[in-house]
Structures are given as C-alpha cells and as structure tokens.
Amino acid sequence: MMESSESLFDLEQDELPFAEVLVPLPLEQYFTYRVPRQFTDLAQVGCRVLVPFGRQKVQTGIVIQRHSKNPSVYEAKAIMDVLEERPSINAHQLSLFSWIANYYLCTEGEVLQAALPSGLKIHSEINVQLHPYYDADKEPEYPLTAHEQLLLDHLQQHDFIPFSEISKLIPLKDPSALVRSLVKKEAILLFEKLKDKFSPKTVRKISLHPDYQQKEKLQALFAQLESKGNSQKQVEVLLLLLQLQSLDNDDIGLAKAVHKSELINKGASASALKTLVKNGILHDFQETIARFQFRGETKSLPPLSKEQEQAKEAIITALSEKEVCLLQGVTGSGKTEIYMHLIEETIYNGHQALLLVPEIALTTQIVSRLQQVFGDKLGVYHSRFSDNERVEVWQKVQNDALQVVVGVRSSVFLPFENLGLVIVDEEHESSYKQFDPSPRYHARDVAVVLAHLHQAKTLVASATPSLESFYLAQEGKWGYVLLEKRFADAQMPDILLADMKKAKKRREMVQDFTPELLTQLRYVVEQKEQAILFQNRRGYAPFLQCDICAHVPRCKNCDVSLTYHQFSEEVRCHYCGYKEPVPASCEACGNSQLITVGLGTEKIEEEVVQLFPATKVQRMDLDTTRSKHSYQEIIDDFSQQKTQILIGTQMVTKGLDFDQVTLVGVLDADGLLRFPDFRASERSFQTLTQVSGRAGRKEKKGVVIIQTRDVQHPILQMVIHYQWREFYQYELNERRLFRFPPFVRLITITLRHRDKSSVKQAASQLARHLRSNLGENRVSEAHEPLISRIKNRFLMEITVKFERTGFNVQQGKAFIKQSGKSLMENKNFTGLEILYDVDPY
DNA sequence: AGCACGCCGACT
DNA sequence: GTCGGCGTGCTC
C-alpha cells in the first residue's frame, strides 16, 4: 500500500539476519539463530528449519520471528536449512500455540511437540561406523574391553549402527562412555544422519512412449515385432497394455498409463516388459499417489426429519448471534445427519469444517457414513494412523485439498487455512482432555479458541452435556438447541433399579446378579435378542485380600493395591504396569486363603458363561482390545449377532448403534457413585444415561436394569426418571455451594520427588507462599493425593480455585508458574518436579 | 527431552 | 584402580 515507506523499511532492516526459533522441547525460551544469506527470503515466519542444537544434534524448529538484533552474550549458530517454501505453521496456529501454553501453563515447545506429526519433525540420529584405519586383525594399540569388542564385532558385519540401537546389542544402560572410549582409541567414527520420515506413497506405472501414441505408428510397431519372430512375448505385453487402457476408438487413450503391478499380475512377461522399456517403446515411471483414496460413489445428503430440520435451523440462528452453540440431543436423535448438513453448508460457502470425535468413536460407523457423503473431500485424523498418513492429511488440509476433517483431539492442531465450522461430538467425553504428556489441553475448549481465531463457529454436542457447557448455555453465553425426540420414533427404554441390599438379605443374589437382572437376561437369551452388561472395572477383581489377616497385596512402586487378572494369572498395577504371578499365600501371615474382593469384567464374564453355557459371550475392555483390529472385530461380531451378550467397561457406552439390544444391565452403579472426586455425580449420570441409550432402538422398546445398594440415591432416581433438567439444576447447586467448576476455575498443582519428606516440605512451602499471596480461600493446603506414590516417586498436591469473574486468572496463573519456577531453583529441592493441570478432569 | 560432564560405589 | 550408575546443568 505505501510503497515508499515499505522500501525504506526494507533498506533499514535489510535482511533481518536473525531468527527466533521454537524447538519442540519443554523449554521456556526461543533460540536465536543466524539466517544465512541464501535463506533470507526463504526462512519466513512459520517455516520449519533445521538447526544445530546442543552438542551434536540437529533439530527441527519453527521460525517465530525475524529480526536484526545480534545477541551479545553468545554467538548465534546458523540455520542449516529451510525445509519448505511455504510455512508449515500458519499465523493462526502460532497464536493458538501461544494461547495453549499460557492457558495450560506449559511451554510452546510442548505444544509444538504435540501438534506436529512426527513425520514433520526431522532430527539427526547419531550413527557409529568402523574407523577406516581400524584393522581387526592387527593387535590393537589399546586393549579393548569385552563390550567394546562386542560392538566392533557387530560393525564387522554391518556398515553402521544407530547409537540408540547399541544398548539393545550390549547390556548397557548408557553406551555413551563406551562409544567415547572407542572414538578415542580410533576404532570407530561417529556420523549424523537425518531422518526424514515422510515418504510419499508412489506407484510404478507403464505407458506407451509418446512416439508410439498414434495408431499408425503402433500398427507399424506390431508389424515389425511380429516379423522378428522372437518377440511374441513383447506383442502380448503390448496387447495387454492396450486392453487395460480400455481404449475407445481414438488415439487419446493411448497416452493412458496403467499400473505396472497390474500388467504383471495379468500375466505380462517381466523380461519382455523390460526389453520394451529399454528399447524406448514403453515408458516406466513413478507416480505419487494419495494414501487415502475414496472409491465408490458418493451419496447425496440423507434427508432430515422435521425435528432434525428444526434443530438445524435453530443452530444456524443461534450461531448467527453467538460463537458457540450447544446441541443437546438424546441418544438416537440423529445428530450425525444434522452435522452432515451443517458441514455441507460450510463447504458450500468455501470454508473448511472440523468434526472432533472421541478416540473410540473413529473406528465405528461415523467415518464411513461421512465418507459416503463427502468422499474425497473428507480426511480422517487418527492416532492409529501411521505417520506418513498423518503427514498427508496435514498437507492436504494446508493445501485446501480436504474440506472436512473428522479426527481426534489432536486434529485441532491441523493447519486449517479457512475454517468455518468446528463440531465437537460427545463433548462431555473425558478423553478430550489430554493428560499424560503435557500440554494438558481440553480439545473442546481449544476448539472454541481455534474457531474464534478463524472467526468460525463451534457446535458442541452431546446427549449428556458437561456441566461446564450446560452452564454456559444456560447463562446465554452460548446458544442452546434441544433435540428431544428419538429418530424414527424409537422409544426410550424403561430404566429400573434392582435393589442389591434387599436381594442379599433375602439370599436371592446369584453370584453378582439380582433376580431382576437375571430374569431379564434369561428372557433375552431365550428370545434370541441381545444384551449389554456394563461394569466399569477391568480385570477379575480390584484386589485380593487375605481371608485371615485382611492383608492386601500392593504395588512395589505405587501406593495402590494390585488388581487381580484371572485370565493371565497375574496381579497388576494399573498405574505403572508392574505385574507379578498371583501370590500363592499371604505375604504377611502365610495363610494360603486369598479371596477376591470386588467385581471386574473378567469375573462377570466367568459368571455369565457358567449361567448361560450355550450362549456366545464377548468381553470388551482395555485387555481384549489391545491389538489393532480387535475392537472392530468385537463390534462386528456383536452387530452381526454372532455374540449375544457383550460385557464391558466404558467402551460399551460409547456411541454404538445396535438394533437388537433390548437389555442393558449395570452390575454395580455404586462403584461409579462412590468415586471420590467432584465429578462423580456428573460422570455417573452421564455414564448411566449413555449406557441406557444403548437399549431399544427402532421397533422394540428396551429395558435397562441398574443394580445398586442405594435405590434412593438422588442421582439414580434422576437417571431412571429421565429428569435431566433436575439433575443439572441439582448438580449446579452442589457445585456452586462447594465452589467447583463451572463456578470456579480449578488448577491442580502436583509436586513429585523421590524423597517423601522433600516433596512434603516443598509442597507446604509452595502452598504457604501461594496462600499468602493469592488468598487462603483460593489455594488449598498441601495435601497427599489419593495415590501418594506412583513409579516410586512421592506426590503432593495443591488445589487452586479462581473465581470466574472479578479476579485476574491470567495473573494468578503467571504467579503460580513463577512461584513454581523459583521453588525448583531452590537447592534444597533438586530433582523436584512440578506439574500443572488446568481444568483437571 | 537428549546429551555430556562429574561424582561415587563395586568389581577386576 | 577402572567401569558403569546416576545426578546436574545446558542447549542459541
């Protein structure tokens, strides 16, 4: 626009010879690099660059800023390479990274680490090779240790070995000392190799050389070959090629290429083919293809029912005024069709759409249903995909080659250029909150921010919304649309409570079954219908206990009891993975009578098999779905009615549509309700309502039986009477009263240390500091968490509650982070780790 | 997060 | 006396 001032600017700033670079590591700062002249134009903000980092490492980083300020205290190293002409990370993404780092109290490097598919994160790998002057036959100048000899022997057989593989070869925890020693002895050399992980998928194709792509030329060629007499095979190859080109009667099709593998499979002689290529008659080349190719016809959008149409219009109206809308639609009300219509409109307006789904939902029907409508425009982003596949989706989103993405929580990081709509399906699902590696972000909340950056809209949907979302809708901050009618007039199931206390007293329990549930189950089996049994606990029993002294076997590394797994004949720790064979006797008193306490899916399976020996039963939990396809297989078997009773944890509650399920049994609702955290009621209500929704679809009304010792429990009463409005009001009151979300913002600070007294001391010091500066009503005392030791490190916790209004949350968070930082610098607490969990789940 | 350096116990 | 474990500090 203002040319003169721009050129002046260019002159003064000239080449901006330095760059601030973000590396995908948990480090607070950017690093300053020199931009060599040849990269002046190329190294734009957002580009991936290769930089030397640390002693002898190469890292991928992102250019955050260009400037001309030469750092004075150190000499900046130079950027080695710029990996792309167009930035991988756009401006919206950079803003999003920074927002996440601030909000969730983590570093931008951690966000980058989570955001980039590892195929776009090149780093160097150190490799070891023999020194060219090293002679194995000669007596070595310096004596070699056994381990050194082992490595050298390996290198006689192999050209080189990656540094990281050495510890697999030699029983050493850290092979770096050994490698250094061998380098000094001039027996080996180190070299770095970059791992560029992404490789596009290619296919070999064969076509006629342009010279022969005319009928006359081709006829001449055939005549020539046939006259030779020894070229029959070549003629056959050519005829096959023409056949596969499936020519109409013109020359144009002659240029068409066919897959080389197809030619060979259909019987073309490989050697004849080779000869034809050699003689320049055929052209053999590689073509890059997409890994995902949708084959088959796309269908038009499914029509909406009157109610769906109304809901859709209501959503559009709400979103014209507000940025976010909550859609509360009961299970089976047909939310997916509404999504499709909204997505279609978004695409039509030239924008991209993102549909977030919980991890588990991606393997099921929703993808194929969307694919039938959106075909090639749809991308799927899933953690079970290979890296190459994820990079491909990333690049297609960037190039606007995909207009719709259905994906798990990490798809909020994709490089959308012009997002118009984000839909968060099953928004109450806790799997949207990442925990294990930081950033501990909630994909629903990040999605709202992402949409805001694009000036796009967010639709947040669930049959059982989170209290947070419901509250925002109720307060009018978000729009709200209710869809109460089930699709195709399916009826809601009858939900009944079965009193376990009474049944126990009367000695009517058959193992873990009340007479009510057992009767229904018998009926279902006889009628050849299907049933789902839900118990939110995997394994056989939560723990073992000595019948005499009541001792409970516990984990060696963690402060938890070990769960008994009958199938594998082990006891296991669900926190660190520690396992040992089932103890034959009590380690405390020597008694050999150990009894199982509590109820897991394995035990239910055993009981059901005993009770219904002729019935096909399948168990679905973490233990039976470990391998890649087993989840899908179990689902398929059940939906094709090869299995009649499905027993499982959480997993069975998640969006599966089965028409023939007429009974859902909840074995122990008390286990859900007893959970000791502020979300126990919410989670119980959601889980029980969701699992009930699996019963009875289309033509047949279903029955749900919930076993409990407390039939009067208010939550259960609200579940069975479908009093969801009452539930939300009840629970909001509780939350307001006890100061929990959504009325306050919660932050959990966890301190971790090998030494128990150190962590206790550090925690109380931090708590004291925060309490006196932020207020005692906002910061709890330091306390031991429920599980006070995991993987041999002791834990302490501080809970922070910031009110939503009238308090500067951002400042409060910054103060917490600063306080934590200075505590870590305290020499008394070396080795201390502090973890922050903002909006914990 | 890696990776190097430096300090300390348990083996030849 | 060294080897190998582990704690500590740094990366432009």
Side-chain angles (χ1 to χ4, degrees):
Chain A
M1 32 176 209
M2 283 190 291
E3 242 176 70
S4 58
S5 76
E6 236 174 51
S7 56
L8 188 70
F9 188 79
D10 284 353
L11 252 173
E12 275 180 16
Q13 303 277 308
D14 194 24
E15 303 185 315
L16 302 175
F18 295 97
E20 294 301 296
V21 172
L22 172 66
V23 288
L25 297 172
L27 303 171
E28 289 291 341
Q29 350 76 317
Y30 299 137
F31 291 84
T32 308
Y33 286 88
R34 192 164 52 74
V35 181
R37 188 144 294 206
Q38 73 264 32
F39 297 135
T40 297
D41 295 330
L42 210 52
Q44 298 165 37
V45 170
C47 278
R48 288 182 302 138
V49 289
L50 235 41
V51 291
F53 193 83
R55 276 291 259 157
Q56 41 178 208
K57 274 238 106 173
V58 174
Q59 267 288 4
T60 305
I62 302 291
V63 177
I64 295 294
Q65 198 202 92
R66 290 282 297 273
H67 60 80
S68 52
K69 208 170 70 206
N70 193 353
S72 49
V73 276
Y74 54 87
E75 195 181 348
K77 293 182 182 172
I79 285 173
M80 298 161 71
D81 203 357
V82 180
L83 293 171
E84 57 223 353
E85 288 178 18
R86 210 183 128 198
S88 266
I89 308 283
N90 63 40
H92 288 327
Q93 289 173 288
L94 290 180
S95 314
L96 191 67
F97 290 0
S98 145
W99 182 86
I100 293 174
N102 270 313
Y103 187 88
Y104 291 105
L105 296 173
C106 65
T107 68
E108 283 184 42
E110 286 170 314
V111 183
L112 180 63
Q113 174 71 42
L116 272 188
S118 49
L120 293 178
K121 279 178 290 198
I122 302 170
H123 58 259
S124 65
E125 193 175 45
I126 297 168
N127 290 277
V128 173
Q129 66 172 70
L130 280 183
H131 196 286
Y133 298 148
Y134 173 75
D135 186 351
D137 300 328
K138 236 172 54 191
E139 189 64 28
E141 237 175 285
Y142 309 97
L144 297 169
T145 68
H147 282 164
E148 288 174 347
Q149 195 58 58
L150 212 57
L151 179 59
L152 292 173
D153 287 348
H154 179 88
L155 287 171
Q156 303 285 348
Q157 314 295 325
H158 305 83
D159 290 342
F160 63 90
I161 179 172
F163 184 86
S164 53
E165 305 267 301
I166 296 176
S167 53
K168 288 179 203 160
L169 190 74
I170 296 163
L172 271 184
K173 264 207 165 170
D174 177 14
S176 57
L178 175 126
V179 168
R180 232 175 304 136
S181 156
L182 279 173
V183 171
K184 216 185 266 172
K185 293 174 185 174
E186 293 191 333
I188 59 170
L189 279 183
L190 301 181
F191 68 99
E192 276 175 60
K193 226 172 89 177
L194 286 183
K195 285 192 102 175
D196 190 352
K197 289 184 190 152
F198 178 70
S199 50
K201 191 167 176 179
T202 58
V203 64
R204 287 207 91 87
K205 286 197 165 182
I206 299 289
S207 66
L208 277 171
H209 190 277
D211 288 355
Y212 295 94
Q213 289 174 12
Q214 282 167 16
K215 245 189 241 167
E216 306 81 57
K217 297 266 176 70
L218 208 52
Q219 276 163 1
L221 175 67
F222 272 111
Q224 190 199 341
L225 284 173
E226 268 161 10
S227 70
K228 274 212 244 167
N230 61 350
S231 309
Q232 195 47 44
K233 286 285 179 199
Q234 294 184 39
V235 173
E236 281 172 27
V237 171
L238 284 172
L239 286 171
L240 188 59
L241 174 69
L242 294 178
Q243 189 196 326
L244 290 176
Q245 284 173 331
S246 60
L247 300 177
D248 300 326
N249 204 11
D250 60 32
D251 291 350
I252 315 238
L254 289 175
K256 213 155 117 188
V258 307
H259 287 224
K260 186 173 182 178
S261 55
E262 197 180 356
L263 270 175
I264 301 288
N265 286 340
K266 293 243 163 93
S269 147
S271 65
L273 190 67
K274 219 169 160 183
T275 312
L276 285 163
V277 172
K278 198 181 73 193
N279 294 339
I281 296 164
L282 293 183
H283 182 43
D284 180 348
F285 62 101
Q286 275 199 0
E287 195 176 278
T288 305
I289 57 157
R291 258 167 250 267
F292 301 104
Q293 277 179 329
F294 177 73
R295 289 172 212 287
E297 297 290 299
T298 53
K299 291 186 194 156
S300 52
L301 280 170
L304 296 182
S305 70
K306 202 177 98 224
E307 289 79 14
Q308 288 172 319
E309 185 64 40
Q310 280 167 358
K312 190 194 94 178
E313 289 306 323
I315 291 165
I316 291 173
T317 308
L319 288 179
S320 67
E321 295 165 15
K322 296 180 175 153
E323 290 192 25
V324 188
C325 178
L326 169 63
L327 168 64
Q328 182 172 359
V330 297
T331 34
S333 59
K335 292 192 287 287
T336 311
E337 288 82 7
I338 299 179
Y339 300 163
M340 288 181 186
H341 281 256
L342 292 169
I343 291 169
E344 175 68 31
E345 288 190 25
T346 306
I347 300 175
Y348 182 81
N349 290 325
H351 292 120
Q352 292 172 305
L354 168 63
L355 172 58
L356 286 179
V357 295
E359 181 86 20
I360 201 107
L362 255 193
T363 33
T364 55
Q365 298 106 327
I366 196 161
V367 172
S368 59
R369 288 178 65 193
L370 287 166
Q371 218 154 34
Q372 281 170 3
V373 172
F374 298 110
D376 280 337
K377 295 179 191 152
L378 177 79
V380 183
Y381 203 65
H382 194 271
S383 58
R384 282 197 182 175
F385 283 170
S386 77
D387 230 62
N388 283 335
E389 290 166 325
R390 268 181 280 173
V391 171
E392 200 165 300
V393 173
W394 180 283
Q395 289 171 342
K396 282 185 167 178
V397 167
Q398 187 174 27
N399 300 328
D400 211 14
L402 292 174
Q403 278 80 52
V404 195
V405 173
V406 49
V408 294
R409 60 167 181 253
S410 58
S411 29
V412 294
F413 295 120
L414 285 166
F416 296 102
E417 287 292 333
N418 61 346
L419 201 53
L421 176 69
V422 184
I423 301 173
V424 186
D425 187 34
E426 306 289 349
E427 63 89 22
H428 66 281
E429 273 288 319
S430 57
S431 64
Y432 281 125
K433 182 74 159 64
Q434 166 144 320
F435 186 76
D436 202 3
S438 183
R440 303 190 160 79
Y441 66 100
H442 196 299
R444 181 231 296 138
D445 301 337
V446 172
V448 171
V449 176
L450 170 71
H452 177 80
L453 289 169
H454 283 263
Q455 295 178 300
K457 304 293 182 178
T458 309
L459 177 67
V460 151
S462 172
T464 53
S466 63
L467 266 288
E468 282 85 346
S469 299
F470 188 86
Y471 177 71
L472 286 170
Q474 199 186 45
E475 292 289 291
K477 301 226 169 71
W478 290 3
Y480 178 73
V481 173
L482 177 64
L483 182 57
E484 255 187 312
K485 201 169 169 218
R486 269 190 153 182
F487 192 63
D489 293 320
Q491 296 178 68
M492 300 300 267
D494 288 327
I495 312 180
L496 309 166
L497 297 181
D499 191 340
M500 284 202 281
K501 216 191 220 164
K502 197 172 78 188
K504 274 216 171 110
K505 222 179 254 166
R506 295 185 182 170
R507 305 193 174 279
E508 287 172 351
M509 291 292 283
V510 180
Q511 306 207 48
D512 290 292
F513 288 84
T514 54
E516 290 95 326
L517 182 52
L518 197 57
T519 309
Q520 283 295 332
L521 199 53
R522 284 221 172 88
Y523 178 78
V524 164
V525 168
E526 279 161 18
Q527 297 296 308
K528 302 260 181 287
E529 294 167 353
Q530 286 183 299
I532 292 176
L533 297 178
F534 169 75
Q535 169 64 12
N536 204 17
R537 184 92 206 197
R538 68 189 168 97
Y540 187 89
F543 52 92
L544 288 172
Q545 190 171 37
C546 173
D547 206 12
I548 297 201
C549 73
H551 171 82
V552 174
R554 301 181 73 82
C555 178
K556 307 251 179 304
N557 311 314
C558 311
D559 177 29
V560 293
S561 53
L562 294 168
T563 301
Y564 174 46
H565 287 249
Q566 187 178 55
F567 181 75
S568 52
E569 297 178 338
E570 286 166 343
V571 286
R572 286 190 216 159
C573 172
H574 287 185
Y575 285 83
C576 73
Y578 172 83
K579 55 188 178 186
E580 58 180 74
V582 178
S585 59
C586 173
E587 55 182 358
C589 73
N591 165 42
S592 59
Q593 285 289 69
L594 290 169
I595 56 168
T596 62
V597 181
L599 181 59
T601 44
E602 269 188 29
K603 183 156 185 246
I604 298 171
E605 184 185 19
E606 182 186 275
E607 294 176 9
V608 172
V609 168
Q610 273 172 26
L611 291 164
F612 302 98
T615 306
K616 279 269 190 190
V617 178
Q618 176 62 259
R619 174 162 59 92
M620 183 162 86
D621 55 30
L622 246 184
D623 299 309
T624 59
T625 54
R626 281 254 158 69
S627 69
K628 197 171 174 180
H629 297 295
S630 48
Y631 176 80
Q632 196 58 49
E633 279 165 24
I634 293 173
I635 297 289
D636 289 346
D637 283 356
F638 194 61
S639 66
Q640 291 160 23
Q641 314 209 23
K642 287 182 191 162
T643 40
Q644 214 176 343
I645 302 175
L646 185 65
I647 299 159
T649 54
Q650 303 270 20
M651 273 178 207
V652 299
T653 67
K654 313 261 156 98
L656 305 167
D657 296 343
F658 304 115
D659 287 338
Q660 293 304 312
V661 176
T662 49
L663 172 66
V664 166
V666 176
L667 273 289
D668 175 25
D670 307 340
L672 279 171
L673 292 162
R674 253 197 322 261
F675 222 80
D677 79 52
F678 76 96
R679 274 187 213 281
S681 297
E682 178 182 3
R683 218 174 4 234
S684 302
F685 182 83
Q686 287 164 342
T687 307
L688 293 173
T689 304
Q690 294 276 352
V691 76
S692 300
R694 306 299 128 216
R697 294 247 141 168
K698 290 181 186 150
E699 62 286 334
K700 182 138 186 182
K701 191 167 175 171
V703 178
V704 179
I705 294 185
I706 299 174
Q707 302 194 141
T708 174
R709 284 175 198 77
D710 186 2
V711 286
Q712 291 309 319
H713 197 292
I715 303 293
L716 295 181
Q717 288 297 323
M718 289 185 265
V719 169
I720 65 173
H721 294 119
Y722 293 101
Q723 291 167 326
W724 59 265
R725 283 189 180 83
E726 287 80 352
F727 167 75
Y728 282 99
Q729 292 322 318
Y730 167 89
E731 185 61 16
L732 281 175
N733 273 333
E734 298 276 304
R735 300 277 182 96
R736 188 182 288 118
L737 204 59
F738 296 102
R739 297 182 67 236
F740 277 111
F743 298 97
V744 297
R745 327 207 81 130
L746 209 58
I747 302 170
T748 310
I749 307 171
T750 307
L751 293 88
R752 200 156 68 174
H753 199 277
R754 312 196 91 80
D755 179 52
K756 187 163 186 162
S757 66
S758 296
V759 75
K760 283 195 156 176
Q761 207 191 328
S764 49
Q765 193 172 315
L766 180 61
R768 209 179 316 126
H769 184 235
L770 295 178
R771 281 164 69 83
S772 65
N773 283 281
L774 297 171
E776 302 201 339
N777 58 331
R778 298 199 179 97
V779 185
S780 79
E781 302 270 13
H783 53 267
E784 265 189 32
L786 204 63
I787 294 160
S788 67
R789 184 180 51 126
I790 293 177
K791 293 180 189 165
N792 272 329
R793 278 176 302 179
F794 292 93
L795 308 176
M796 285 297 279
E797 229 172 59
I798 299 169
T799 310
V800 180
K801 291 175 177 177
F802 289 152
E803 51 271 40
R804 291 183 73 94
T805 50
F807 180 79
N808 190 334
V809 174
Q810 212 40 54
Q811 231 167 46
K813 281 183 189 170
F815 186 80
I816 291 174
K817 196 157 188 187
Q818 188 48 50
S819 309
K821 222 164 139 187
S822 48
L823 191 68
M824 302 249 285
E825 282 160 12
N826 187 331
K827 286 277 179 288
N828 295 324
F829 302 128
T830 46
L832 176 71
E833 294 167 279
I834 304 181
L835 316 172
Y836 304 99
D837 193 2
V838 178
D839 305 338
Y841 252 72

